[in-house]
């Protein structure tokens, strides 16, 4: 049984109901050291505050059917914001991560921090107006951003490859709180995407979950027993510096020679295809200036089964699988979720990466990780950032009744 102090028991029970989806009093009694009358008072109290609600009756082998409880998804609402190098996404959710509204905009040369905050504020006000909600109903805004970050201070430190100026040392949480008048919380995008995907996988026994995102760069995050694994510093993109081949290239003159992202990233793929076109390799892209070729052009060529582009995607996917195998051999997740523009570009990428990883991991009799594509796709970062607020609120801020347990 789980023993907790009176001041935290309500929060723990709420969190458990949230995790289980629907649950009876008897099921909660098996996990918490409370008397039957105390548990009844607690559930009645949370129901009266509309924090949880009765969701129906369970099955019974005899006697009265048990009442089932679930958390109330409309007790409050959440904003989730993704800040990436290519685009940003703002979305409105209820507390079960049901998507109510979303919008996306390009991170072009004019999208400075000040302009982004103003855009997010204006879009949030539009969301509230469309759903006839007051700002008081918002629990806050969660932000998933490229790093490096100072999560505790809510600051984006020195991110690379932003088109607009001014993105060094940005107190993004302070700016958003001043504009929106609600709490703001920050984490790196791979961690928030992992939170979102973990929610999507609830009920599927994902105890040790690895999330890998392949896009402009490579990002990864790991969760064990429901907890994010964090290091001494926010180094979200550092996984891309894992050395795959000691005699490999040093991409764009940066980082390690033979680093993972030198083989597996949108920028690396664009670079390799452009070089192949410059030496005269035939392709449906022939005739265009190589330096004008973008990732969108590559995905179209791949759909057209262009031999050159297919070759390059297959090579990138194989190297993706090698890096995955390295991570899996160290971390031993039971579930591996893959997302990001490169992985989502074509089934070839996912299938090749998984097949390569499976060939190179140390699998015992009882260990074989389950691979899956990210379910939330382009919304994973924003959804997980929003859910971060629910987790924090459930642990810290759940209202307590004056009645004693």
């Amino acid at each position: 049984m789980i023993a907790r102090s009176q001041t935290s028991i309500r929060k723990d029970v709420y969190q458990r109901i949230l995790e289980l989806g629907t649950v009876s009093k008897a099921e909660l009694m098996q996990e918490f050291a409370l008397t039957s009358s105390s548990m009844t008072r607690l559930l009645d109290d949370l129901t009266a505050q509309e924090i949880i609600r009765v969701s129906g009756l369970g099955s019974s082998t005899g006697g009265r059917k048990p009442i089932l409880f679930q958390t109330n998804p409309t007790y409050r609402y959440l904003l989730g914001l993704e800040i990436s190098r290519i685009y940003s996404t703002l979305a409105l959710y209820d507390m079960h991560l049901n998507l109510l509204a979303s919008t996306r905009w390009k991170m072009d040369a004019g999208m400075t921090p000040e302009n982004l905050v103003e855009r997010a504020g204006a879009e949030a006000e539009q969301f509230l107006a469309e759903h006839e909600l007051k700002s008081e109903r918002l629990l806050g805004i969660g932000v998933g951003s490229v790093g490096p970050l100072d999560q505790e201070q809510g600051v984006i430190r020195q991110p690379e490859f932003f088109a607009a100026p001014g993105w060094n040392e940005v107190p993004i949480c302070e700016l958003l709180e001043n504009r929106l008048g609600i709490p703001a919380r920050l984490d790196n995008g791979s961690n928030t995407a992992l939170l979102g995907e973990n929610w999507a996988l609830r009920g599927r026994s994902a105890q040790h979950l690895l999330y890998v995102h392949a896009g402009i760069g490579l990002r990864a995050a790991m969760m064990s027993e429901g907890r994010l694994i964090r290091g001494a510093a926010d180094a979200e993109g550092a996984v891309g510096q894992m050395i795959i081949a000691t005699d490999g290239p040093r991409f764009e003159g940066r980082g390690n020679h033979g680093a993972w992202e030198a083989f597996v990233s949108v920028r690396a793929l664009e670079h390799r295809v452009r070089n192949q076109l410059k030496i005269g390799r035939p392709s449906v892209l022939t005739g265009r200036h190589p330096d004008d070729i973008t990732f969108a052009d590559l995905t179209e060529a791949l759909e057209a089964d262009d031999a050159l582009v297919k070759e390059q995607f297959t090579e990138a996917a194989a190297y993706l699988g090698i890096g995955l195998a390295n991570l899996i051999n160290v971390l031993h997740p039971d579930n591996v979720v893959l997302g990001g523009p490169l992985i989502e570009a074509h089934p070839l990428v996912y299938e090749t990466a998984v097949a390569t990883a499976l060939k190179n991991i140390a699998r015992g009799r009882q260990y074989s990780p389950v691979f899956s594509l990210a379910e939330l796709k382009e919304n994973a970062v924003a959804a997980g950032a929003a859910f971060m607020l629910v987790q924090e609120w459930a642990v810290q801020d759940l209202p307590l009744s004056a009645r004693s347990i």
Side-chain angles (χ1 to χ4, degrees):
M1 284 190 174
I2 301 172
R4 298 286 189 269
S5 68
Q6 290 186 0
T7 57
S8 66
I9 188 67
R10 297 171 187 267
K11 304 164 191 176
D12 296 326
V13 169
Y14 174 87
Q15 187 71 32
R16 191 60 179 145
I17 298 172
L18 180 67
E19 292 169 357
L20 294 174
T22 58
V23 62
S24 68
K25 171 188 166 183
E27 290 171 318
L28 292 171
M29 290 287 295
Q30 294 175 5
E31 299 193 44
F32 293 91
L34 288 178
T35 65
S36 178
S37 59
S38 292
M39 181 62 77
T40 297
R41 287 196 300 271
L42 186 154
L43 294 173
D44 286 347
D45 191 27
L46 295 179
T47 303
Q49 295 180 59
E50 299 183 348
I51 295 169
I52 67 172
R53 65 187 185 185
V54 174
S55 63
L57 299 175
S59 60
S60 174
T61 57
R64 182 179 300 175
K65 292 183 178 181
I67 297 173
L68 299 178
F69 298 91
Q70 67 174 194
T71 56
N72 180 5
T74 60
Y75 179 73
R76 291 289 186 273
Y77 295 87
L78 318 161
L79 289 172
L81 174 64
E82 175 184 6
I83 301 175
S84 80
R85 301 176 179 95
I86 303 175
Y87 58 79
S88 284
T89 300
L90 181 73
L92 176 69
Y93 298 91
D94 66 20
M95 294 183 71
H96 286 178
L97 279 197
N98 294 310
L99 179 63
L100 304 178
S102 68
T103 186
R104 173 175 292 187
W105 59 88
K106 291 183 179 180
M107 293 294 287
D108 57 24
M111 195 52 64
T112 62
E114 295 76 16
N115 288 340
L116 179 136
V117 169
E118 182 55 37
R119 175 72 179 265
E123 296 287 0
E125 290 168 353
Q126 182 66 27
F127 290 168
L128 294 177
E130 290 174 354
H131 291 271
E132 299 181 346
L133 297 172
K134 295 182 178 180
S135 60
E136 291 79 10
R137 300 295 306 280
L138 292 173
L139 201 60
I141 180 169
V143 183
S145 174
V146 295
L149 312 173
D150 184 331
Q151 182 198 9
E152 292 186 1
Q153 297 299 318
V155 175
I156 300 174
R157 287 296 186 199
Q158 296 176 334
E160 297 180 319
F161 309 118
F162 271 68
W167 279 98
N168 287 346
E169 303 299 325
V170 178
I172 191 66
C173 286
E174 179 183 347
L175 294 173
L176 288 167
E177 287 174 348
N178 290 339
R179 176 61 178 82
L180 294 167
I182 57 175
R185 298 292 181 269
L186 174 69
D187 205 343
N188 70 58
S190 55
N191 281 348
T192 65
L194 177 58
L195 288 176
E197 292 297 335
N198 185 60
W199 172 258
L201 289 170
R202 65 194 182 282
R204 302 185 212 174
S205 301
Q207 296 297 312
H208 310 286
L209 182 61
L210 172 66
Y211 174 81
V212 175
H213 176 104
I216 294 294
L218 286 159
R219 299 183 285 176
M222 179 74 184
M223 177 179 286
S224 183
E225 302 291 349
R227 294 179 179 272
L228 285 168
I229 296 176
R230 299 182 183 275
D234 178 81
E236 174 194 31
V239 69
Q241 290 303 308
M242 175 172 43
I243 297 172
I244 299 298
T246 56
D247 59 348
R250 188 168 182 254
F251 187 61
E252 296 181 346
R254 309 159 64 90
N256 292 326
H257 287 277
W260 197 17
E261 73 171 6
F263 299 93
V264 187
S265 66
V266 166
R267 291 181 298 118
L269 188 61
E270 290 173 338
H271 179 74
R272 290 202 305 274
V273 173
R274 289 166 182 165
N275 283 345
Q276 293 297 306
L277 291 172
K278 288 176 181 178
I279 64 174
R281 289 282 302 275
S283 167
V284 297
L285 300 172
T286 299
R288 298 183 54 181
H289 194 291
D291 291 338
D292 294 334
I293 301 299
T294 66
F295 184 67
D297 298 320
L298 299 186
T299 57
E300 289 180 8
L302 183 59
E303 287 290 344
D305 204 31
D306 180 76
L308 169 61
V309 173
K310 185 176 182 179
E311 170 192 284
Q312 296 300 316
F313 268 94
T314 301
E315 181 178 302
Y319 279 114
L320 174 60
I322 292 171
L324 286 173
N326 289 341
L327 291 175
I328 293 166
N329 285 333
V330 172
L331 300 172
H332 292 95
D334 50 24
N335 287 75
V336 181
V337 178
L338 305 179
L342 181 57
I343 293 167
E344 295 164 5
H346 193 278
L348 168 73
V349 179
Y350 175 79
E351 293 165 4
T352 303
V354 171
T356 304
L358 288 172
K359 290 178 183 178
N360 291 280
I361 61 175
R363 287 191 285 175
R365 292 181 179 178
Q366 298 180 342
Y367 178 69
S368 183
V370 176
F371 291 83
S372 62
L373 283 167
E375 292 196 18
L376 300 177
K377 299 186 184 301
E378 68 273 7
N379 291 320
V381 173
F387 192 65
M388 177 171 61
L389 298 168
V390 179
Q391 288 195 316
E392 182 175 305
W393 175 80
V395 171
Q396 296 180 2
D397 302 320
L398 189 63
L400 299 179
S401 167
R403 295 187 299 172
S404 170
I405 293 177

